[in-house]
Structures are given as structure tokens and as C-alpha cells.
Amino acid sequence: MSGILSNSYPGMGPTGINPINEHMFSNIFSRLQHPQIPQIPKKEEEKKPDNEDDDGPDNAKVNLENMDLWDSFHQFGTEMVITKTGRRMFPSYKTRVTGLNPKAKYCMLMDISAADEPSLSRRYKYHNTRWMVAGKADPELPKRMYVHPDSPATGEQWMNRPCISFHKLKLTNNITDPHGHTILNSMHKYQPRFHIVRCNDLSRIHMTTFRTYIFKETQFIAVTAYQNEKITQLKIDHNPFAKGFRDAGAGKREKR
Amino acid sequence: MSGILSNSYPGMGPTGINPINEHMFSNIFSRLQHPQIPQIPKKEEEKKPDNEDDDGPDNAKVNLENMDLWDSFHQFGTEMVITKTGRRMFPSYKTRVTGLNPKAKYCMLMDISAADEPSLSRRYKYHNTRWMVAGKADPELPKRMYVHPDSPATGEQWMNRPCISFHKLKLTNNITDPHGHTILNSMHKYQPRFHIVRCNDLSRIHMTTFRTYIFKETQFIAVTAYQNEKITQLKIDHNPFAKGFRDAGAGKREKR
DNA sequence: GCCTTTCTCACCTACGTGGGAATA
DNA sequence: GCTATTCCCACGTAGGTGAGAAAG
């Protein structure tokens, strides 16, 4: 199964290669479509980005890894814990890409945007085993783009690896976070996005074409503590770092 | 204190960016001078490498970090353990570089060559608390070049960081090692070398100028088990991972 | 009361140490 | 005997888990 593809053409912007600096991507964010607003895909080569190696077009296809695992969370309403110091996502966001131009260079990016339509953005609460709308969304937070650490690399290199993993991305609710983690509002719904960018150099990323892929089953609500115990149990059952909480029957866990 | 500088001009060679593949650097190794053979430094810009950004010359100076620690091992005869699966060096090999061209791009490399002159290459044994010559050296092993994982980066980036660390390089005695670790003969003497290469791209590394820096105090003998107990004690005293063997007096270590 | 956030903790994963017994 | 190597282990470092108490 492949993600929804959207093309967009971010304009010029300030350069820089520090992924912590949100200004680098500010113009890009403003031109990336919102996941709720459908857009007809355009052909990538309408306007050639200048100064990039052009060894011919490509026809990238993206698959989400761990689709079954994501689905099992999604059916109950995925929750992701956010903390002051930053918390990883589980399941991890991993993709596999085919159809790239083997010789061209690409950067692989990920970000997390509001899942609700901008005009209907809301906060949620968990009440009587159900998620309910609890009012209008809190103010937007600084957006951050996570650049896969192996960027840039050739299409051949991206396609040959078992997967493109974003497991090191961390979520936080600390609006002054100094580590470059992704800042989210608790009790809000989010949609991870995957971006393929053809460029030789991170500093030229603003001049190149973004292709954005969205997998609905990776939507989640950010929480500071799990609300749905079915989600908790899925995390314990599948995340190796939570193995200490398994054996649900007998010994389970010592009291402190 | 700065290392000994030698310049060399590796010729054309097959391209590729997989650091595991020894063929990539085969022509480079053959042109890098042996540490025991003095050579008059040449001016770097004698012949300009083609296709590389040339924002002016640089005058790189390299310092070895942890010089005192290296010296304390060197006075007793440094030993490094090699294992089938690969073992890190301790002390770690770390440098600091100044005088690079801030805008130019560089790759930072490290390799480990025989410390003895080729015609006098030998194996050693440890007998009665002393290292002695024990015959002619074993056949040479495939040479591998360790590319610092942050390569390539600008001179500015290399100079701004606290140090350029090669702590992840691993030593092995497994001649069929599949991980790209550095393969050494046990009971032979070695000399680590640090290389600065000006190039925009690892795949063009064969066309560019190598500058090689050698610090005598990093010489060591490869062993499968420590021979000199003074070396063992220095490792235990300074390597955080060996903390479990400290407290030499009382409790020391439980028997199994 | 309720809801949400923060903090510490035991318990994991993953892997870097030298010791020491077993092996060659 | 002797020497060198291999293997497993207790014990570290480093850091990712949810639980549960406490605080807001």
C-alpha cells in the first residue's frame, strides 16, 4: 500500500543546515499542502530545479513499514506520549522507497502536522472510554522538519537499504525545546508526513521539489499519559523497551 | 603538539562510497608513504585537483587529543585488544584541526599501518615482562580506510566541533571480517594515521590530495589478551566501560 | 471532585569492558 | 610444559519503557 502523494514547490528561503532552526523550513511549511485539502498531483519536471544533477526523471513509490502494527493501534485510536525531554514514537515511522533515480541525490524528511482541517482544528479529551472534542485547538507551535540523518544520499543507496527509519525523531511538549525535537500540543490530533526531496545538498533544499506522502493509519493524538488502556497494552506487547511490563497475568510487576 | 605531515597524491581509482570495500582505496594505500620513510613535504597546490571548489589554500594544523593519556600508555608499550567481532581502541583516537579553509569541504579518514619499516617488519612476543622480536612478520592483511561518518563537511564544521573522534573504529583479527573493521595481525606493531582529504564527495576521494598526520605516541601492539599488567591497569583506571574492575584493593570483583 | 502534567523508579535494550576457563 | 586464541560472563555506560505518586 502506498501513501497519498502531493507535489509542492517551496520557494526561496534562507539557507542553513541546522535541522533545529525552524526558520530554514518556514517557507517550505507554508507551501506544503494541508493533509485535509486534496490536491491534484503535478508532474515533477514541470519546472526543473536549477543546479541539481538531472539524470532523468523518477517515479518514486513509498510503502509504510509495519503497516499491520500501525493498523492495530489505529483501530483503537493511536496515542503518542510527549514529554519535556522528548519521547520517541511507537510504532516507529519507517518507509521503503522504490522507483527513485539511482544516480540522483535525495534528502528524506519527516514532519508532523495537525490532522484536522485548519478551520476545524480542535483539542480532545478522553471521557468514558471515548475520545471527544473538547473545544478549539490551542495556538500553533513552531514547526520543525526532521531530516533523516543519512541525507543526502543517492536513490540507489536509499532503495538498497531495508528501510528508511525515523525512529530517532522525538516528540515534546516543551515549547522552548533546545534539542530540535518535534513540538506538539497535548490532546491534539496529528498526522505524520514523509517527504522526498531531490537535492545534492541540504543547503539547497529550498530550491527543490518536495513530494509528500501521507499514511492515514499513522495519525495519533498526543498525550502526556496514556488514556486508552488498549493502546497501553499494545505498546507493552510490541515495544521491546517495555518488556518489563509484560506477563500481564501473574508476576506482572513488583510494587516500588 | 602537532603530528608529522606528509603529502601524497593518490592516483585515479575505482569509485564507490562503501567504506567496507578495500578496493576503493587500494591505489591510495599504495601511494601513501610508509611512516618510517621520511619524505619532504610538498606544497599542496602544486597540482590542483579538478572539479573541487577552490576557495583558496588552507594551512591545516592537527593536534592529538588525550595526549597525556596516550603518553602514559606509550611509556609502557601500548597494547590494543583485537577480537573476532571487533574491539574499539582505548584510548580513543581523537584529533582537533585548525587552519582549514572554512568554506571548502573535507573528508577525515583514519587507517592503521605497520609501524615497522617494510624490510624489517616483524612479529613480537612478550617474555619475562618485555616485548621481544619473535621473527618475521606474517603476511600483510587487506587494508581498510575508516571514513569519519560525518564526512564530507566544511572546514568550518570540522573546526567548530570539540574534536574529530574515531572512537567507533574497531580492530579485528578476523581476516574475513564482513563489517568493515580494521584487520590486524596479533603480536604485530601498528601506527594509526590520520588523513585530511579535500573533496566534496566521497566518490571523488581518489582524485584529491591526501595530507597524512602521524603521532608516534599512538603506536601499539595488537594482542588477543593483554600481556603487560601495567597496560591492563591503565585501561581499567581510565576506560569508563571497565569501571567494574576498579577498586583494586578490597572488593575488586566477585568470582563467577 | 476531576483532569492533566511532572517526576522518579524498576526494568528493559544494546553494547563496551577485562577476567578467566576452555580450547588449540 | 608453554603460548596464543576463543568464548562466556559479571559489570559497567547509555538510554528507551510504562507505572504510580505527587503536583498543578
Side-chain angles (χ1 to χ4, degrees):
Chain A
M1 183 177 182
S2 292
I4 297 164
L5 170 63
S6 73
N7 281 16
S8 50
Y9 294 85
M12 296 294 292
T15 64
I17 69 163
N18 183 353
I20 292 172
N21 184 353
E22 38 262 22
H23 302 308
M24 176 183 173
F25 288 101
S26 56
N27 285 348
I28 293 173
F29 285 119
S30 66
R31 301 205 183 198
L32 284 172
Q33 70 159 127
H34 188 278
Q36 293 298 334
I37 304 173
Q39 183 175 329
I40 295 147
K42 298 173 190 168
K43 212 160 174 305
E44 185 201 358
E45 306 300 336
E46 260 181 37
K47 181 164 181 281
K48 290 240 163 73
D50 35 15
N51 290 329
E52 303 300 330
D53 286 347
D54 187 6
D55 301 330
D58 60 55
N59 186 19
K61 279 185 187 159
V62 178
N63 288 282
L64 178 68
E65 294 284 287
N66 297 323
M67 181 68 82
D68 291 347
L69 190 55
W70 278 106
D71 275 338
S72 59
F73 279 88
H74 187 55
Q75 65 174 319
F76 296 122
T78 309
E79 301 171 26
M80 297 286 176
V81 168
I82 57 179
T83 68
K84 208 169 178 177
T85 53
R87 198 79 147 189
R88 290 186 179 177
M89 294 170 59
F90 188 88
S92 298
Y93 196 94
K94 299 177 182 178
T95 61
R96 261 192 73 81
V97 179
T98 58
L100 298 177
N101 181 322
K103 300 295 181 199
K105 281 201 169 183
Y106 299 89
C107 293
M108 300 298 178
L109 314 180
M110 175 177 169
D111 72 345
I112 296 176
S113 72
D116 295 316
E117 251 187 84
S119 58
L120 295 174
S121 206
R122 330 161 251 219
R123 62 175 297 132
Y124 295 81
K125 66 179 173 187
Y126 194 73
H127 188 67
N128 288 339
T129 76
R130 306 199 82 82
W131 283 104
M132 314 176 62
V133 174
K136 216 181 116 222
D138 292 340
E140 270 198 65
L141 297 170
K143 291 194 175 80
R144 287 178 171 171
M145 184 66 77
Y146 179 86
V147 181
H148 191 288
D150 296 344
S151 304
T154 63
E156 187 173 20
Q157 290 172 313
W158 291 119
M159 292 188 293
N160 277 344
R161 56 168 64 204
C163 72
I164 301 170
S165 173
F166 293 90
H167 68 282
K168 284 191 174 169
L169 180 146
K170 284 189 175 182
L171 311 179
T172 184
N173 56 348
N174 178 13
I175 59 171
T176 63
D177 169 77
H179 303 105
H181 298 153
T182 299
I183 306 171
L184 303 180
N185 275 319
S186 187
M187 300 304 191
H188 289 58
K189 194 182 284 184
Y190 289 100
Q191 173 65 65
R193 304 187 294 192
F194 172 63
H195 312 280
I196 299 180
V197 185
R198 187 147 160 193
C199 66
N200 293 321
D201 196 312
L202 277 175
S203 64
R204 283 200 293 235
I205 211 163
H206 57 278
M207 307 195 296
T208 60
T209 303
F210 271 59
R211 277 171 297 173
T212 298
Y213 298 83
I214 290 167
F215 300 94
K216 290 277 184 194
E217 44 281 85
T218 62
Q219 276 192 8
F220 64 88
I221 294 181
V223 295
T224 56
Y226 290 123
Q227 305 296 315
N228 183 346
E229 62 182 15
K230 286 177 178 166
I231 293 298
T232 310
Q233 200 53 50
L234 279 172
K235 301 254 184 180
I236 289 171
D237 289 344
H238 294 95
N239 188 335
F241 289 108
K243 197 174 272 183
F245 298 98
R246 294 186 190 167
D247 301 323
K252 195 159 187 173
R253 179 80 183 259
E254 297 283 326
K255 266 194 184 171
R256 291 162 52 180
Chain B
M1 184 180 182
S2 293
I4 297 164
L5 170 63
S6 73
N7 281 16
S8 50
Y9 294 86
M12 297 293 290
T15 63
I17 69 162
N18 182 353
I20 292 173
N21 183 353
E22 38 262 21
H23 301 307
M24 176 184 174
F25 288 100
S26 56
N27 285 347
I28 293 172
F29 285 120
S30 66
R31 303 206 184 197
L32 284 171
Q33 69 159 124
H34 189 278
Q36 294 297 333
I37 303 173
Q39 181 175 332
I40 294 149
K42 298 174 188 169
K43 213 160 173 302
E44 186 201 356
E45 306 301 334
E46 259 179 37
K47 180 162 183 281
K48 292 237 162 76
D50 35 13
N51 291 330
E52 302 301 331
D53 288 346
D54 187 6
D55 301 330
D58 60 54
N59 186 19
K61 279 184 187 161
V62 178
N63 289 281
L64 178 69
E65 294 284 287
N66 297 323
M67 181 68 83
D68 292 347
L69 189 56
W70 278 106
D71 276 336
S72 60
F73 279 88
H74 188 54
Q75 65 175 319
F76 296 122
T78 309
E79 301 171 25
M80 297 288 176
V81 167
I82 58 180
T83 69
K84 207 168 177 178
T85 54
R87 200 78 148 191
R88 290 186 179 177
M89 293 170 59
F90 189 88
S92 298
Y93 195 95
K94 299 178 182 178
T95 61
R96 260 192 75 81
V97 179
T98 57
L100 297 177
N101 181 322
K103 302 293 181 199
K105 282 200 167 182
Y106 299 88
C107 293
M108 301 297 179
L109 315 181
M110 175 175 168
D111 71 345
I112 296 177
S113 71
D116 295 315
E117 249 185 86
S119 58
L120 294 174
S121 205
R122 326 162 255 219
R123 63 176 296 131
Y124 295 80
K125 65 179 173 184
Y126 194 73
H127 188 67
N128 288 339
T129 76
R130 308 199 80 81
W131 283 104
M132 312 175 64
V133 174
K136 216 180 116 219
D138 290 341
E140 269 197 65
L141 298 170
K143 292 194 174 79
R144 286 178 173 171
M145 184 67 76
Y146 179 86
V147 181
H148 192 288
D150 295 345
S151 303
T154 63
E156 187 172 23
Q157 290 172 313
W158 290 119
M159 292 188 292
N160 278 346
R161 56 168 63 204
C163 72
I164 301 170
S165 174
F166 293 90
H167 68 282
K168 283 190 175 169
L169 179 146
K170 285 189 174 182
L171 311 179
T172 184
N173 56 350
N174 178 11
I175 59 170
T176 62
D177 169 77
H179 303 106
H181 298 152
T182 299
I183 306 171
L184 303 180
N185 274 320
S186 185
M187 301 304 192
H188 289 57
K189 193 182 283 184
Y190 289 100
Q191 173 66 64
R193 304 187 294 192
F194 172 63
H195 311 279
I196 299 179
V197 184
R198 187 147 160 193
C199 66
N200 292 321
D201 195 312
L202 277 175
S203 64
R204 282 201 291 237
I205 211 164
H206 56 280
M207 306 196 298
T208 59
T209 303
F210 271 59
R211 277 171 297 173
T212 299
Y213 298 82
I214 290 167
F215 300 93
K216 290 276 184 194
E217 45 280 85
T218 61
Q219 276 191 7
F220 64 87
I221 293 180
V223 295
T224 56
Y226 290 124
Q227 305 296 314
N228 183 346
E229 62 182 15
K230 286 177 178 168
I231 293 298
T232 309
Q233 201 53 50
L234 279 173
K235 301 257 183 177
I236 291 171
D237 289 344
H238 294 94
N239 189 335
F241 289 107
K243 198 175 272 183
F245 297 96
R246 294 186 190 167
D247 302 321
K252 195 158 188 175
R253 181 78 184 263
E254 298 282 326
K255 265 194 185 170
R256 291 163 53 182

